[in-house]
Amino acid sequence: MSDNHRGIEGLPPAMTRLAHELARLPGIGEKTATRLALVLLSWPRERVIELAESLLEMKERVGLCASCFGLSDCATCAVCANSGRDHGIICVVETPADLLAIERSRSFTGAYHVLHGALAPAQGIGPDDLKIGPLIARIEGRPAGSVREVIIATNATIEGDATALYLAKALKPLEVKTTRLARGLPTGSDLEYSDVATVSAALSYRREL
Amino acid sequence: MAAEERAAAIVLRASDYGEADRIVSALTREHGKLGGIARGLRKSRGRFERRLEPFSHVMLCFRRRPHGELVFITRAESAGLEVYEPGDDLAKFALGAYMLELSSALIREGSDAAGAYDLLAGALGELCRRGASNALRQAFELKLLRWAGYGLDFSCCRRCAVGAGEHDLRFAFVVAEGGLLCERCRRASSTGAQALAPISLGQLQRLTILPIDAACAEPAALADAGGAINRFIAYTLERKLRSLAFLEAMLPASVRAQS
Ligand SMILES: [Zn+2]
Ligand SMILES: [Zn+2]
């Protein structure tokens, strides 16, 4: 346990333990964690059980969609299972958070594919560590011509650009139209932190690779 | 509070920390390698004109903290520094990432690294302007090793000093010697020996001496020489660099003599 979580005299060990766990969350410091623990202590027992069960349920049920590798609590996610969406267009993103950013913009009705990262050779992340092979298999597994376009929506960073380039090359033999999000996103910014209008603009002004 | 300091820096590594922070390792000319944390970087872009990601070349403003903790990065400005954008070519990207990782591995925090900064800045500039080549890779490796105190000598036998190319002797690079042994001196037991063709010996000497921009215009030494440098780096660092496999896939070694 770090010095920060040595425990405060007057705070029972059970609360120190909870505060320590809460402080692992992004944006939560020691003070906030202690305040949250105090709030949780004041909750009725049933609500605390509800919270604890929802955490466990999420952990036990949520996995990855076998087709697009987005988050899902069954083998095929809601997007992949939705026959109202256009499965002829696949938008490739780095992370599930990026997928949600595009969904929030309500400007895309196709399917997704989540790579789970971008090329980062110095971190030991190469093409085989991303879901690139499964994307190719997914397109090859469909009748020829049924995937009309792959939109590469990796971040506008150097690693995102290199990943887009690698993907475009890997997709070339499949003869699928490949596009890249327009640089509506300021260079170096994450999709995840872009506003709805920016995401829509980047989608509508995508350019062919 | 410590005074704000400023330094031109090349970001070697960067990773997200928590919701909006970024932890950065950067090579500065004046203060060597620095580890820092940029708070709120991913959300508020005002203080950070440029993103802090590998290859970012920025004027870093930072405040030191006691006990050698990560410095607080307060701002990052472009300040007219050369922009490195190797994301438009996979061989460039792979070689650039390798250069950053090698620098990160060979440069210790707190040491004077002006020479290494100038070398890395020069090499990344050449990389982005002229593209990736094995000559650039080898020249950078040899020069950075020399800067770090591992100057490799390809001119003569480490034991008997007979010059490379004399008496029709064959030479091999022996990792533990950091240089060549002639066939007469090389005992059968020496490990990690890599036989080097005469043409590779000459080329390695040239790449060692020439400035980085001139070295780029040279043909690369062949795969045997690349292998020798590789082995020496792995021996020195006691590990393989993580970016090596991707680099070798994107920029294969030259196997034939180039004219
Ligand atoms: Zn799915
Ligand atoms: Zn000798």
Side-chain angles (χ1 to χ4, degrees):
Chain A
M1 214 179 262
S2 76
D3 278 1
N4 282 346
H5 302 98
R6 204 170 29 213
I8 302 166
E9 235 168 39
L11 197 66
M15 290 196 73
T16 307
R17 180 182 164 202
L18 175 61
H20 175 58
E21 293 307 321
L22 290 170
R24 293 176 191 273
L25 293 167
I28 307 283
E30 192 201 356
K31 266 188 202 162
T32 310
T34 307
R35 211 166 58 230
L36 291 174
L38 287 166
V39 170
L40 290 168
L41 182 66
S42 73
W43 279 14
R45 186 181 165 78
E46 307 76 67
R47 208 194 293 171
V48 172
I49 290 171
E50 185 75 14
L51 174 66
E53 283 179 352
S54 67
L55 284 172
L56 279 176
E57 188 188 348
M58 173 187 76
K59 200 61 208 166
E60 275 157 19
R61 297 191 60 151
V62 178
L64 299 182
C65 168
S67 172
C68 73
F69 298 93
L71 301 176
S72 175
D73 59 4
C74 45
T76 304
C77 74
V79 173
C80 288
N82 184 345
S83 59
R85 298 187 71 119
D86 182 352
H87 295 278
I89 303 183
I90 299 176
C91 180
V92 182
V93 293
E94 289 182 19
T95 64
D98 294 338
L99 184 160
L100 294 175
I102 295 180
E103 274 302 283
R104 265 197 305 271
S105 78
R106 296 182 188 284
S107 45
F108 181 67
T109 54
Y112 292 97
H113 193 89
V114 185
L115 294 174
H116 289 274
L119 290 174
Q123 262 97 67
I125 303 173
D128 296 343
D129 302 296
L130 306 174
K131 305 288 184 197
I132 293 176
L135 172 64
I136 291 167
R138 180 178 169 190
I139 298 170
E140 280 177 338
R142 300 265 300 275
S146 67
V147 175
R148 308 186 308 282
E149 181 180 352
V150 174
I151 304 171
I152 303 177
T154 51
N155 284 325
T157 60
I158 290 168
E159 287 169 354
D161 283 345
T163 308
L165 201 58
Y166 187 92
L167 260 179
K169 274 194 170 172
L171 293 172
K172 192 123 208 175
L174 305 185
E175 293 180 351
V176 180
K177 178 179 167 190
T178 308
T179 56
R180 176 97 168 98
L181 281 199
R183 289 295 185 118
L185 299 174
T187 300
S189 70
D190 291 351
L191 207 50
E192 188 186 342
Y193 291 102
S194 302
D195 58 56
V196 164
T198 310
V199 174
S200 308
L203 265 170
S204 34
Y205 296 106
R206 61 189 186 262
R207 61 193 156 77
E208 197 156 345
L209 284 176
Chain B
M1 201 194 291
E4 190 174 76
E5 297 177 61
R6 285 163 62 85
I10 300 168
V11 174
L12 302 174
R13 281 185 300 163
S15 52
D16 291 336
Y17 182 74
E19 204 172 9
D21 303 343
R22 235 161 133 71
I23 291 190
V24 172
S25 168
L27 179 61
T28 67
R29 199 168 192 291
E30 295 82 5
H31 310 280
K33 192 168 83 174
L34 275 183
I37 181 162
R39 289 252 150 97
L41 170 69
R42 296 166 73 205
K43 280 180 169 173
S44 85
R45 300 188 45 83
R47 289 177 295 132
F48 298 97
E49 277 180 49
R50 294 197 66 79
R51 183 194 168 93
L52 294 174
E53 61 174 322
F55 302 106
S56 295
H57 195 194
V58 290
M59 188 61 72
L60 268 193
C61 303
F62 63 93
R63 291 182 200 281
R64 290 185 195 273
R65 293 196 291 165
H67 315 305
E69 290 173 286
L70 294 173
V71 303
F72 277 133
I73 297 172
T74 48
R75 276 176 299 144
E77 296 161 358
S78 41
L81 292 165
E82 185 174 7
V83 176
Y84 308 126
E85 285 197 328
D88 62 347
D89 176 279
L90 289 169
K92 265 191 203 175
F93 174 68
L95 181 53
Y98 174 81
M99 287 175 175
L100 297 185
E101 192 188 3
L102 185 61
S103 303
S104 196
L106 284 174
I107 302 167
R108 269 185 243 104
E109 261 177 50
S111 63
D112 173 22
Y117 174 89
D118 290 341
L119 176 59
L120 181 61
L124 288 174
E126 288 300 319
L127 174 71
C128 292
R129 280 190 297 275
R130 304 164 75 142
S133 68
N134 279 301
L136 174 58
R137 171 185 169 177
Q138 290 164 356
F140 178 76
E141 290 171 326
L142 293 168
K143 288 169 199 301
L144 190 66
L145 284 170
R146 167 170 289 190
W147 173 85
Y150 304 104
L152 302 181
D153 181 7
F154 299 100
S155 63
C156 60
C157 173
R158 300 282 280 181
R159 297 274 167 82
C160 70
V162 64
E166 285 176 36
H167 309 300
D168 281 336
L169 285 169
R170 279 171 303 174
F171 284 79
F173 178 81
V174 180
V175 162
E177 299 272 347
L180 302 177
L181 288 184
C182 72
E183 59 185 303
R184 293 187 307 216
C185 296
R186 195 182 137 201
R187 279 168 295 170
S189 62
S190 29
T191 51
Q194 165 86 53
L196 290 174
I199 185 172
S200 294
L201 287 172
Q203 208 46 37
L204 283 168
Q205 286 183 57
R206 289 181 62 75
L207 293 173
T208 306
I209 297 159
L210 287 171
I212 201 99
D213 54 339
C216 284
E218 289 282 311
L222 303 181
D224 55 353
I229 304 173
N230 256 354
R231 281 194 196 188
F232 185 77
I233 291 173
Y235 169 82
T236 304
L237 299 175
E238 298 180 330
R239 65 183 172 91
K240 265 194 162 182
L241 291 180
R242 285 186 283 197
S243 56
L244 192 59
F246 187 65
L247 174 61
E248 293 188 335
M250 296 300 127
L251 182 69
S254 336
V255 284
R256 285 180 295 110
Q258 290 166 327
S259 52

